[in-house]
């Protein structure tokens, strides 16, 4: 997909996830909206995948360590054909496969995640296995910024650099908000880029809601041979919905009927504006 097509797809995914959360009366809205652009770039342009053969040995692997923000991922997997789109209507309902965190009973999900701090360790193991088995696939791991307070993240960071895993790309959805407020108030993280660099990673900082920057960073990885890449995706929580942006309350706020209508109208206007732009 072109950059313009990816931007339009990201708007569609945001519309879908908002409707899904509203219907289910449950979900993590703000973080799913902030990570949508990264996931759209990964699944529609960057990663090698085959929805008809989800266990294809040469596929790239994706681990959503930020497992609670799964809504955007469910919508993308359904749109890509990993499972029927109609199943989205069962999200968070009794007996569904589409629970509030990644569930590996669903095609396209590599690993159950949700307990923060575990995804990068899993990703390091997968990347190391690829190296030792002489496989060409890459591993991508999306983390939250609140998750950076977990000690296991830094153990995995140390291991990734030690084993020179240049087939591993970690992305931090740096929206600076977590469930109880600002990350810097809850547990100060800065200087976060310098910390990752000190652990031996090549660090790339981008606007994680600007599709051209997201694609360029993901396609350029690995940026240094023999080093894993950390993409600091500076994002906006609640991205795309003016009244939800940078509002901690929207971490798992379920939009009301009125809020949903307003949000969908804003997204429709954004898509209309995009249609009038020249192709990138």
């Amino acid at each position: 997909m072109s950059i313009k097509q990816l931007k339009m797809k990201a708007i569609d995914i945001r519309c879908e996830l908002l409707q899904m959360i509203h219907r289910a009366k449950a979900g993590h809205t703000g973080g799913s909206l902030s990570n949508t652009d990264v996931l759209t770039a990964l699944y529609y342009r960057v990663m090698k995948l085959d929805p008809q053969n989800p266990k294809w040995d040469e596929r790239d692997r994706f681990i959503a360590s930020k497992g609670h923000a799964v809504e955007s991922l469910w919508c993308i997997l359904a749109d890509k054909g990993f499972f029927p789109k109609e199943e989205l209507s069962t999200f968070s309902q009794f007996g569904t496969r589409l629970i509030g965190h990644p569930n590996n009973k669903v095609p396209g999900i590599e690993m159950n995640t949700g307990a923060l701090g575990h995804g990068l360790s899993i990703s390091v193991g997968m990347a190391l296995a690829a190296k030792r088995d002489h496989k060409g696939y890459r591993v991508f791991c999306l983390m939250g910024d609140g998750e950076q307070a977990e000690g296991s993240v830094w153990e995995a960071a140390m291991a990734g650099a030690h084993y020179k895993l240049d087939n591993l790309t970690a992305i931090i959805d740096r929206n600076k908000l977590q469930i109880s407020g600002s990350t810097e108030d809850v547990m100060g993280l800065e200087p976060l880029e310098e910390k990752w660099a000190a652990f031996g990673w090549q660090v790339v900082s981008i606007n994680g809601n600007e599709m051209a920057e997201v694609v360029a960073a993901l396609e350029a990885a690995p940026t240094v041979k023999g080093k894993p890449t950390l993409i600091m995706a500076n994002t906006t929580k609640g991205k795309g919905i003016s009244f939800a942006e940078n509002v901690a309350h929207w971490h798992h706020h379920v939009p009301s009927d009125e809020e949903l209508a307003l949000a969908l109208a804003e997204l429709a206007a954004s898509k209309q504006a995009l249609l009038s732009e020249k192709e990138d």
Side-chain angles (χ1 to χ4, degrees), residues 52-240:
Q52 304 309 310
N53 183 17
K55 293 296 185 183
W56 175 41
D57 196 44
E58 296 300 323
R59 72 191 181 281
D60 289 331
R61 273 68 165 168
F62 174 74
I63 298 293
S65 189
K66 184 185 178 179
H68 58 278
V70 72
E71 290 81 0
S72 45
L73 181 57
W74 286 146
C75 293
I76 287 170
L77 291 177
D79 187 60
K80 292 286 291 183
F82 283 91
F83 59 85
K85 208 165 186 177
E86 297 73 29
E87 195 171 345
L88 292 175
S89 65
T90 72
F91 171 66
S92 282
Q93 304 303 305
F94 179 74
T96 185
R97 298 187 298 176
L98 305 185
I99 57 177
H101 291 84
N103 167 23
N104 64 4
K105 292 181 181 178
V106 180
I109 298 295
E110 300 288 347
M111 198 79 185
N112 295 351
T113 55
L116 295 176
H118 294 177
L120 189 62
S121 297
I122 295 165
S123 301
V124 165
M126 288 179 165
L128 182 58
K131 289 282 189 182
R132 293 189 172 178
D133 291 341
H134 306 289
K135 298 290 187 180
Y137 63 80
R138 295 190 291 168
V139 181
F140 297 89
C141 177
L142 178 66
M143 297 181 284
D145 49 7
E147 184 177 0
Q148 304 306 297
E150 303 282 352
S152 51
V153 168
W154 299 101
E155 293 179 47
M158 192 160 37
H162 175 79
Y163 290 110
K164 305 184 188 316
L165 299 180
D166 52 11
N167 57 345
L168 172 61
T169 299
I171 307 115
I172 297 177
D173 184 10
R174 185 71 171 117
N175 60 37
K176 299 182 175 64
L177 290 172
Q178 56 191 104
I179 189 169
S180 48
S182 161
T183 56
E184 298 312 294
D185 290 337
V186 176
M187 180 61 68
L189 302 174
E190 296 298 344
L192 192 52
E193 291 179 30
E194 288 86 342
K195 288 175 182 176
W196 277 92
F199 271 71
W201 289 58
Q202 182 65 20
V203 178
V204 179
S205 183
I206 62 168
N207 179 342
N209 294 131
E210 177 48 61
M211 190 61 74
E213 290 189 35
V214 174
V215 168
L218 290 170
E219 290 187 335
T223 48
V224 175
K225 186 172 176 57
K227 277 190 172 187
T229 298
L230 184 284
I231 297 175
M232 191 70 66
N234 294 290
T235 62
T236 299
K237 196 149 194 164
K239 179 64 179 179

